[in-house]
Amino acid sequence: MRKTITLIVIILLTTSVINAAIITVDPSDAKGIRNDNGELLLLDFLPVQYGEIPGEWLFDDRTILEFNIGGLSETIPFASLDFGLDNFDPDPPDGIIDVYNFTGDGIVTLDDFDAGGNVPFTSFIGLDGDISIDVTSILHDALNIGDQFLSFRLSTITGDRYMMGSIVGQPMPVLTIVPEPTTVFLLGLGCLALRSRMSTRSITRRR
């Protein structure tokens, strides 16, 4: 019985330590870029959409996110790009958002409209709600070559209109870093040992 209780305590303590140790990195810069009939415009909100009215106008909105990763460790076991998404056109078929990555300089400029080339590192269905994209491998690659910034471009060629950020009541996108498991486990054991010592002292005092 005591072993079972001890195991449960270890799990609970380790889980609480993991939650406390998780790092969220805010963007150093995040903006939208609009191509309106060939004219590039820098926006202060985060749209991802593509639209065309024959004979009148064409627009292509992309969102650029830049993150400073200079202080992160190369041993990070897991990292994700997390954000909330609002789809203004949720009717079938579902739209697709492409995600490109590139080495930025921490500031979004009009030159970033095509950053990351023509081949996305991943794509996802643009559904309403919370989106989490595994970016562990590209973060490792960036850290291994000493990049200071990890940047993303989100774009679509489908007709759905997507929005992120405060303009639609969503939190800003963040880079979420999960700590190295061994370190977390050792921290959990440390918490358990501390709790055990405190319990022992309490029993001694009662006597």
Side-chain angles (χ1 to χ4, degrees):
M1 182 66 178
R2 288 184 178 180
K3 290 183 178 180
T4 302
I5 294 175
T6 301
L7 180 60
I8 292 174
V9 170
I10 290 176
I11 292 173
L12 291 175
L13 287 173
T14 303
T15 301
S16 65
V17 171
I18 289 175
N19 290 334
I22 287 175
I23 302 168
T24 55
V25 180
D26 295 323
S28 60
D29 199 5
K31 287 186 174 66
I33 299 179
R34 170 167 294 176
N35 183 342
D36 187 351
N37 283 321
E39 180 183 3
L40 294 181
L41 306 170
L42 204 59
L43 310 173
D44 59 1
F45 56 97
L46 307 180
V48 183
Q49 51 187 323
Y50 180 87
E52 181 177 7
I53 300 178
E56 294 186 34
W57 61 302
L58 170 72
F59 69 87
D60 186 354
D61 288 348
R62 305 179 178 190
T63 281
I64 311 294
L65 307 170
E66 305 242 10
F67 294 93
N68 189 332
I69 58 171
L72 298 180
S73 167
E74 297 178 15
T75 61
I76 292 167
F78 181 77
S80 60
L81 175 63
D82 299 316
F83 52 89
L85 190 70
D86 272 18
N87 183 357
F88 291 175
D89 304 288
D91 295 333
D94 294 322
I96 302 295
I97 295 180
D98 296 320
V99 185
Y100 302 79
N101 75 285
F102 63 99
T103 301
D105 58 6
I107 300 174
V108 179
T109 67
L110 296 178
D111 292 336
D112 296 327
F113 184 80
D114 289 315
N118 298 318
V119 180
F121 86 87
T122 191
S123 301
F124 65 93
I125 297 175
L127 300 176
D128 282 325
D130 296 331
I131 305 295
S132 184
I133 301 170
D134 185 348
V135 297
T136 309
S137 61
I138 62 171
L139 175 61
H140 284 171
D141 291 343
L143 291 172
N144 286 337
I145 62 177
D147 286 343
Q148 169 128 16
F149 294 96
L150 181 62
S151 306
F152 302 94
R153 170 169 65 88
L154 285 75
S155 65
T156 184
I157 58 173
T158 52
D160 288 12
R161 296 169 295 166
Y162 305 100
M163 297 291 288
M164 296 183 290
S166 59
I167 195 171
V168 288
Q170 297 283 359
M172 284 295 291
V174 295
L175 194 62
T176 302
I177 309 298
V178 177
E180 197 268 329
T182 302
T183 301
V184 170
F185 184 71
L186 290 175
L187 286 171
L189 289 179
C191 291
L192 179 63
L194 179 62
R195 178 165 180 163
S196 177
R197 288 181 60 186
M198 292 176 65
S199 297
T200 302
R201 288 178 181 176
S202 177
I203 293 172
T204 303
R205 287 176 182 175
R206 288 176 184 175
R207 289 178 179 175

